Amino acid sequence: MTAYDDQNIFAKILRGEIPNVTVHEDDDTLCFMDIMPRTDGHCLVIPKTPCRNVLDASDAQLASVMSTVKKVANAAKAAFGADGITLQQFNEAAGGQEVFHLHFHIHPRHQGVSMRPPGKMGDMDAIKAHADAIRAAL
């Protein structure tokens, strides 16, 4: 298994080297807004401990992350009056992973509305407002 790179962007966020818009935090996990949102309310959940992806995650890391994913997904669904939630999780470069720290994307979804294309910076005021909405529903 490839070694964990502690210089990845999410490790830097965890160390406070890069700012983020936090939605939820507990002892084991952090949920923050994606700055290139593909849906309104697009956020990410990560473990606070080093872990590249599902393939090398411990059972405890997965349990903690999934508990937070469920909690935030329900709040995001309520906050946006969404019809459903799409979860995305990628493993290794061939599987689409770009940041090599375990993370789950949470996307509130509305019937008939496609996700936006990846890679476009979002409006930070809107992102902060979306975080406020999710936090209020937690």
Side-chain angles (χ1 to χ4, degrees), residues 13-121:
I13 286 172
L14 287 168
R15 289 193 301 266
E17 296 170 9
I18 296 175
N20 75 89
V21 179
T22 298
V23 173
H24 173 78
E25 183 172 9
D26 60 29
D27 290 342
D28 300 317
T29 64
L30 176 68
C31 176
F32 56 94
M33 300 303 291
D34 195 308
I35 61 171
M36 291 187 269
R38 299 196 58 202
T39 59
D40 291 348
H42 179 182
C43 55
L44 303 164
V45 176
I46 66 173
K48 288 185 172 180
T49 51
C51 176
R52 289 183 82 249
N53 54 43
V54 164
L55 303 174
D56 71 351
S58 70
D59 290 347
Q61 286 170 315
L62 287 173
S64 295
V65 168
M66 290 311 297
S67 177
T68 299
V69 165
K70 180 181 177 184
K71 176 188 279 188
V72 175
N74 277 303
K77 185 175 182 291
F80 291 93
D83 300 313
I85 295 288
T86 294
L87 297 179
Q88 290 182 310
Q89 198 283 315
F90 305 95
N91 298 279
E92 300 298 344
Q97 188 175 9
E98 295 177 356
V99 177
F100 292 90
H101 184 106
L102 175 64
H103 60 285
F104 283 81
H105 296 259
I106 298 173
H107 297 279
R109 300 296 303 277
H110 295 88
Q111 192 68 38
V113 178
S114 297
M115 288 177 30
R116 296 185 288 267
K120 185 172 190 265
M121 287 298 288

